[in-house]
């Protein structure tokens, strides 16, 4: 027998005995005591204790082998208190050879535990929630092996059945205290996608509850696992093939990555090993899920956390397949908690987190919003939701514990707020704002084909900022003239690795195809700062916004830039190519980047070259304004990136809530700077665009036009409101007014400009 086989059969024997004790008739306390002594004996420990979570987040000692019997039902620890409380608070195992040295050690004299030095404890988990802690202790200072930790985790999983069965403590005690109040509730999180929606809560998870943990015949369980895995793979393939969202390159990539994870050998191996150790296939899958959650809690990197969430998604799918294949006959599982079977027509999907494919499982016609307890703005599920145009609010603390299936919900994605079981007054307010938003959207749609011309005849060119293919597809709906800023780093951010030349060429060619002959300005990679590529290692920086980013990386790693430029050139064969370099701080940087582009243009074969090439720079670093005379002789166009330009102008971090709004874009220094840039570009006859966020806000956009800016690039949703403003503006009158303010010493000119708009009927 191999070492593995020996360990597996020992584990099967232990689980079998555990099951027999748990299933035996008699008092539950008696069974729990026997369990404690069985575990102590098996793990060669002097102590084994079971703590159960009670109302108010208190862990109570329910059974012990080795500690003083009087302590049972007396010793209580709050979550977070002592080592046991620490294990519960972090839902992770701890193995300590000298427990008293742990900073969280809390001595309880009534237990007599001073005699024991080493301690290993694991959380007892049910549906991802901690319902107790199982711990062993030894007299000697001994280390515990990883295998021992795993064995105790497996035991804790089987034990969870007894703890949550309602015999030890009522099921309601295992719920968080503020869990199911039927009062209206207002929760806030982080807006991953804007918009307002109302609907009915559909809980995405938990969907499957495992009832049978211990299996006699590992081979039969392995066969069931293989069958379910195969079923899951082909279901994912079908999903990829069938989903029209997936046809657009980027979303397809997301799903393909997901499939790769589904075929992950390490994950499947861990599940098989747990089956060999005596678990049913369902219990083994859940065991792997518990591990994943424990690992996830330690990971800081948001991209990696997202990948682990994809594993969770797959776990649920696999459980579904196991349930579908055999569960009903064997009674291994039941489907509860999910309200999917009776889905309402207006789904507000509620999940701890979810994978992209899971979202696509729901009927898109019915989906109104997504609420997540965790998640990140650039998570795959948020990207897909954006493509579906539904609001997403994430990082809502305690979300899944506070919502009951079919609760009425209002999602205010613009303010990252969620109203659960809202009162009549709140509902009325939102019905009104949803109506108003709908009317506004309809009125903007009616402006689609109107030229963006001010009342006194100035033509303004409105362009889109894009990052996803979906944004490019908005050209049609918004009537925008083209893509003024394609943030090419976005597709890089949602991938597991650097896209190669062929992939990049395809991405850019698709953008040009979708734009259908309208101009597209590709910005070369602007990574660094807050835009992180998980596969591109960089050292920590004190000031990442002012650190190694954008063109600085490109010039230091010219191979990356060359590959991207080569892909632009190939994608634009026979068409117009516009390339823009980000974060240029001095003319020499522009020259260096331009030289690399020229090399790529020189090497392209005849007949394969773009029809025309225009090259521009972004003006985001103030130093460049003092080199404008030299720069303007070299560029075909200039684009002001006001997001960065303003943070550097004011030395005021755009991502720091304390400083982001400290200075106003509508202030004398900004207006003076912009006026100067406009004049120089006019003199140099160089086309000027502004593509920062301010272009998309009507009052700011109004001011930009008053300063002489004629081309602005913005998010698709801003086109309508900005065009409505333009149609009602007399820009010459505004220009005169602005010139009167030139020497102002005020902090902000916003109140004055607001009054101007009001007095002159400008629709801001
Ligand atoms: C800007 O800085 O204004 C800009 C458009 O670039 P980003 O927001 O991508 O940094
Ligand atoms: Mg920028």
């Amino acid at each position: 027998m191999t070492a593995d086989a020996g360990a597996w059969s020992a584990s099967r024997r232990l689980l079998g005995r555990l099951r027999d004790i748990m299933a035996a008739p008699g008092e539950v306390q008696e069974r729990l005591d026997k369990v404690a002594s069985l575990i102590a004996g098996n793990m060669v420990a002097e102590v084994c204790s079971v703590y159960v979570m009670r109302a108010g987040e208190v862990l109570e000692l329910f059974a012990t082998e080795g500690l003083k019997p009087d302590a049972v039902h007396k010793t209580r620890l709050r979550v977070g208190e002592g080592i046991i409380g620490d294990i519960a608070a972090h839902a992770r195992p701890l193995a300590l050879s000298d427990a008293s040295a742990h900073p969280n050690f809390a001595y309880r004299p009534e237990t007599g535990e001073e005699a024991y030095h080493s301690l290993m404890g694991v959380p007892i988990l049910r549906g991802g929630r901690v319902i107790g802690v199982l711990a062993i202790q030894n007299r000697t200072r001994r280390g515990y092996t990883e295998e021992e930790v795993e064995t105790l985790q497996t035991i804790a999983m089987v034990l969870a059945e007894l703890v949550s069965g309602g015999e030890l403590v009522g099921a309601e005690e295992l719920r968080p205290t503020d869990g199911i109040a039927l009062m209206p509730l207002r929760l806030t999180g982080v807006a991953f996608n804007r918009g307002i929606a109302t609907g009915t809560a559909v809980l995405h998870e938990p969907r499957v509850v495992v009832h049978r943990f211990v299996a006699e015949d590992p081979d039969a369980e392995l066969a069931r696992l293989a069958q379910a895995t195969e079923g899951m793979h082909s279901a994912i393939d079908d999903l990829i093939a069938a989903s029209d969202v997936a046809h657009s390159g980027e979303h397809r990539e997301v799903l393909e990555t997901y499939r790769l994870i589904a075929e992950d050998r390490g994950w499947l191996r861990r599940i098989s090993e747990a089956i060999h150790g005596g678990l049913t296939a369902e219990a083994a899958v859940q065991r792997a899920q518990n591990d994943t959650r424990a690992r996830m809690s330690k990971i800081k990197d948001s991209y990696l956390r997202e990948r682990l969430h994809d594993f969770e998604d797959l776990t649920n799918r696999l459980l579904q397949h196991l349930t579908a294949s055999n569960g009903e006959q064997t009674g291994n599982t039941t489907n509860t908690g999910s309200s999917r079977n009776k889905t309402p027509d207006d789904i507000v999907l509620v999940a701890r987190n979810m994978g992209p494919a899971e979202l696509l499982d729901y009927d898109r016609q019915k989906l109104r919003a997504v609420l997540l307890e965790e998640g990140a703005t650039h998570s795959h599920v948020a990207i897909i939701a954006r493509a579906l145009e539904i609001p997403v609010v994430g990082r809502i603390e305690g979300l899944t514990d506070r919502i009951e299936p079919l609760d009425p919900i209002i999602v205010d994605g613009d303010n990252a707020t969620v109203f659960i079981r809202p009162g009549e007054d709140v509902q009325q307010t939102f019905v009104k704002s949803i109506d108003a938003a709908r009317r506004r959207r309809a009125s903007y749609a009616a402006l689609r084909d109107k030229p963006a011309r001010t009342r006194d005849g100035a033509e303004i060119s409105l362009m889109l900022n894009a990052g996803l293919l979906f944004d490019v597809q908005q050209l049609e709906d918004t009537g925008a003239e083209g893509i003024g800023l394609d943030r090419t780093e976005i597709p890089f951010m949602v991938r597991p690795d650097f896209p190669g030349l062929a992939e990049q060429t395809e991405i850019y060619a698709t953008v040009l195809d979708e734009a259908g002959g309208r101009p597209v300005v590709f910005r070369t990679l602007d990574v660094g700062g807050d835009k992180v590529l998980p596969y591109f290692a960089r050292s920590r920086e004190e000031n990442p916004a002012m650190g190694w980013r954008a063109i600085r990386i490109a010039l230091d790693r010219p191979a990356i830039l060359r590959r991207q430029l080569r892909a632009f050139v190939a994608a634009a064969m026979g068409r117009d190519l516009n390339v823009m370099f980000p974060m240029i701080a001095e003319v020499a940087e522009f020259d260096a980047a331009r030289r690399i582009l020229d090399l790529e243009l020189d090497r392209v074969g005849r007949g394969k070259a773009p029809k025309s090439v225009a090259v521009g720079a972004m003006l985001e670093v103030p130093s460049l304004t003092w080199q404008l005379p030299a720069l303007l002789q070299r560029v075909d166009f200039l684009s002001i990136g006001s997001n960065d330009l303003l943070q550097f102008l004011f030395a005021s971090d755009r991502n720091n809530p304390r400083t982001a709004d400290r200075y106003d874009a509508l202030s004398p220094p900004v207006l003076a700077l912009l006026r100067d840039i406009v004049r120089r570009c006019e003199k140099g006859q160089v086309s000027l665009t502004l593509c920062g966020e301010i272009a998309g806000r009507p009052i700011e956009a109004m001011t930009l036009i008053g300063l002489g800016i004629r081309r602005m690039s913005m998010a698709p949703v801003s086109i309508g409101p900005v065009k409505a403003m333009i149609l009602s503006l007399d820009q010459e009158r505004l220009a005169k007014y602005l010139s009167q303010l030139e020497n102002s010493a005020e902090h902000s000119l916003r109140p004055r400009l607001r009054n101007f708009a009001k007095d002159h009927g400008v629709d801001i």
Side-chain angles (χ1 to χ4, degrees):
M1 206 192 284
T2 65
D4 271 353
W8 286 337
S9 71
S11 163
R12 283 203 296 274
R13 268 198 308 279
L14 170 63
L15 292 187
R17 288 185 59 197
L18 196 58
R19 177 199 53 197
D20 293 345
I21 295 174
M22 282 170 47
E27 282 299 308
V28 64
Q29 179 70 50
E30 219 173 278
R31 282 180 273 149
L32 196 61
D33 291 343
K34 282 191 186 154
V35 164
S37 84
L38 172 73
I39 298 169
N42 239 280
M43 305 288 300
V44 199
E46 282 90 30
V47 174
C48 172
S49 309
V50 181
Y51 294 82
V52 176
M53 187 77 83
R54 307 224 54 170
E57 307 248 286
V58 171
L59 291 150
E60 179 176 313
L61 179 64
F62 257 68
T64 185
E65 166 75 29
L67 295 184
K68 289 187 186 158
D70 283 355
V72 172
H73 298 302
K74 285 208 187 76
T75 295
R76 292 173 147 228
L77 294 149
R78 286 188 312 277
V79 168
E81 183 188 2
I83 294 169
I84 299 299
D86 190 296
I87 292 165
H90 297 99
R92 54 144 198 232
L94 275 181
L96 308 164
S97 63
D98 182 5
S100 63
H102 190 273
N104 235 354
F105 178 75
Y107 173 55
R108 285 304 167 88
E110 75 274 13
T111 60
E113 65 183 335
E114 63 275 17
Y116 307 101
H117 287 104
S118 43
L119 181 149
M120 166 167 70
V122 298
I124 303 174
L125 296 161
R126 190 75 170 150
R129 194 177 291 162
V130 177
I131 59 169
V133 171
L134 173 65
I136 59 170
Q137 286 172 275
N138 283 79
R139 216 176 278 281
T140 53
R141 284 199 173 83
R142 57 155 297 194
Y144 297 98
T145 64
E146 234 169 74
E147 286 75 38
E148 285 174 310
V149 177
E150 283 187 10
T151 304
L152 202 64
Q153 280 177 296
T154 304
I155 294 170
M157 202 179 129
V158 177
L159 195 56
E161 181 65 15
L162 190 66
V163 176
S164 63
E167 289 179 276
L168 288 174
V169 293
E172 67 289 348
E173 277 206 51
L174 296 174
R175 283 221 168 101
T177 38
D178 56 350
I180 48 161
L182 291 171
M183 301 286 286
L185 207 58
R186 179 176 166 276
L187 301 175
T188 54
V190 176
F192 292 167
N193 200 28
R194 297 168 70 90
I196 296 177
T198 61
T200 309
V202 169
L203 302 193
H204 176 62
E205 53 199 352
R207 289 186 288 174
V208 181
V209 176
V210 179
H211 294 306
R212 207 170 67 87
F213 291 87
V214 184
E216 306 288 345
D217 182 357
D219 291 337
E221 295 301 308
L222 286 170
R224 291 184 55 228
L225 175 70
Q227 195 191 4
T229 313
E230 208 182 295
M232 178 182 75
H233 286 165
S234 60
I236 293 173
D237 288 347
D238 289 350
L239 198 71
I240 291 176
S243 163
D244 55 332
V245 167
H247 281 312
S248 48
E250 191 160 345
H251 307 119
R252 194 184 174 86
E253 265 167 27
V254 168
L255 289 168
E256 296 281 6
T257 310
Y258 183 79
R259 175 163 50 193
L260 282 182
I261 296 174
E263 284 161 11
D264 181 89
R265 299 267 142 235
W267 179 56
L268 292 169
R269 199 197 59 237
R270 282 202 306 278
I271 298 172
S272 307
E273 279 176 0
I275 291 177
H276 279 298
L279 293 181
T280 58
E282 291 85 349
V285 171
Q286 203 166 73
R287 179 63 230 282
Q289 184 178 30
N290 286 345
D291 283 355
T292 307
R293 283 180 180 155
R295 279 197 292 155
M296 188 171 66
S297 67
K298 283 185 232 149
I299 289 178
K300 293 269 179 327
D301 183 298
S302 62
Y303 181 85
L304 282 182
R305 278 178 68 104
E306 279 313 313
R307 300 292 69 71
L308 286 168
H309 287 309
D310 288 350
F311 271 113
E312 287 241 351
D313 177 358
L314 289 163
T315 301
N316 286 329
R317 284 179 166 269
L318 197 49
L319 284 173
Q320 288 285 6
H321 281 273
L322 282 166
T323 310
S325 66
N326 265 351
E328 269 142 40
Q329 291 98 303
T330 61
N332 285 6
T333 56
T334 50
N335 270 288
T336 66
S338 167
S339 29
R340 245 198 214 202
N341 298 338
K342 39 183 186 312
T343 47
D345 289 338
D346 52 354
I347 300 174
V348 173
L349 199 52
V350 177
R352 210 148 53 76
N353 210 334
M354 65 195 310
E358 282 190 304
L359 180 59
L360 292 173
D361 268 356
Y362 290 85
D363 181 347
R364 265 200 275 153
Q365 305 305 322
K366 294 181 175 176
L367 270 179
R368 298 287 178 273
V370 177
L371 304 179
L372 302 172
E373 195 159 322
E374 302 173 355
T377 323
H378 55 267
S379 65
H380 288 165
V381 68
I383 290 163
I384 299 278
R386 238 168 262 148
L388 301 179
E389 289 188 86
I390 53 175
V392 185
V393 180
R395 298 213 213 112
I396 308 173
E397 231 173 273
L399 171 77
T400 48
D401 290 333
R402 291 173 161 86
I403 295 187
E404 288 290 291
L406 305 181
D407 270 346
I409 297 191
I410 294 174
V411 180
D412 178 358
D414 295 343
N415 295 303
T417 305
V418 181
F419 299 87
I420 300 158
R421 304 176 286 273
E424 191 58 30
D425 47 339
V426 176
Q427 286 191 39
Q428 284 308 322
T429 313
F430 274 89
V431 166
K432 276 191 207 132
S433 47
I434 288 171
D435 265 5
R438 198 174 293 135
R439 276 199 304 277
R440 257 199 320 276
R441 266 205 307 278
S443 72
Y444 295 148
L447 299 181
R448 202 192 83 126
D449 297 320
K450 280 203 164 187
R453 192 181 297 131
T454 62
R455 273 173 39 205
D456 55 338
E459 305 275 355
I460 312 297
S461 151
L462 300 182
M463 314 278 281
L464 290 192
N465 288 352
L468 295 164
L469 207 50
F470 176 73
D471 297 324
V472 184
Q473 288 157 350
Q474 301 285 301
L475 277 171
E476 222 17 76
D477 291 348
T478 56
E481 283 181 28
I483 305 292
L485 165 65
D486 188 56
R487 290 184 162 104
T488 61
E489 61 276 4
I490 306 283
F492 281 61
M493 285 162 67
V494 297
R495 298 176 47 89
D497 50 20
F498 256 118
L501 179 65
E503 280 166 285
Q504 285 195 51
T505 307
E506 196 190 317
I507 294 172
Y508 308 137
T510 312
V511 172
L512 291 170
D513 293 346
E514 291 281 343
R518 297 183 189 86
V520 174
V521 179
F522 289 112
R523 174 173 77 179
T524 60
L525 276 185
D526 180 12
V527 292
D530 60 345
K531 294 181 208 161
V532 180
L533 302 184
Y535 43 85
F536 184 61
R538 292 181 312 134
S539 47
R540 276 193 80 76
E541 294 180 302
E542 279 292 315
N543 290 305
M546 295 196 281
W548 198 50
R549 56 175 285 202
I551 200 68
R552 300 169 187 179
I553 297 181
L555 294 177
D556 292 353
R557 298 276 185 277
I560 296 175
L561 179 61
R562 272 195 89 149
R563 190 199 286 176
Q564 186 174 37
L565 294 172
R566 193 171 296 180
F568 287 159
V569 171
M573 182 175 78
R575 312 191 253 200
D576 297 324
L577 173 63
N578 304 295
V579 177
M580 172 161 86
F581 297 112
M583 288 287 292
I584 298 288
E586 53 171 9
V587 170
E589 281 178 340
F590 176 80
D591 285 344
R594 165 96 221 205
R595 269 198 297 278
I596 297 177
L597 174 62
D598 287 339
L599 284 177
E600 286 308 315
L601 289 167
D602 288 346
R603 69 178 284 286
V604 70
R606 280 168 116 238
K608 296 212 162 156
K611 188 165 89 194
S612 73
V613 180
V615 190
M618 285 195 76
L619 179 48
E620 296 171 285
V621 185
S623 58
L624 196 60
T625 52
W626 283 275
Q627 276 201 301
L628 278 179
L631 182 76
L632 293 177
Q633 286 175 16
R634 291 162 157 85
V635 293
D636 298 303
F637 60 90
L638 190 69
S639 192
I640 302 175
S642 53
N643 304 341
D644 276 312
L645 184 61
L646 295 192
Q647 78 165 338
F648 297 131
L649 187 67
F650 287 117
S652 172
D653 187 346
R654 75 194 237 196
N655 291 322
N656 178 342
R658 282 212 159 145
T659 57
D661 298 322
R662 194 174 183 96
Y663 306 98
D664 196 348
L666 298 181
S667 59
V670 179
L671 268 47
L673 175 65
L674 293 177
R675 185 179 284 117
D676 191 40
I677 298 168
V678 170
R679 283 187 189 145
R680 285 172 188 274
C681 286
E682 278 170 358
K683 200 161 149 226
Q685 296 189 326
V686 169
S687 145
L688 176 67
T689 308
L690 190 141
C691 64
E693 292 305 302
I694 58 172
R697 301 195 196 119
I699 186 170
E700 278 91 340
M702 173 189 90
T703 312
L704 297 175
I705 293 170
L707 293 170
I709 289 177
R710 291 292 175 264
R711 175 177 291 226
M712 298 186 290
S713 193
M714 61 198 73
V717 288
S718 297
I719 296 279
V722 169
K723 195 188 270 189
M725 178 278 295
I726 291 171
L727 296 175
S728 59
L729 175 69
D730 181 336
Q731 59 83 31
E732 268 195 42
R733 188 171 271 182
L734 173 63
K736 269 199 204 104
Y737 180 63
L738 285 172
S739 65
Q740 291 165 23
L741 301 175
E742 244 172 69
N743 293 319
S744 162
E746 286 166 67
H747 163 71
S748 167
L749 300 172
R750 189 174 295 269
R752 292 181 184 278
L753 288 161
R754 207 177 274 131
N755 284 340
F756 174 90
K758 207 164 142 212
D759 294 347
H760 296 86
V762 186
D763 183 0
I764 55 164

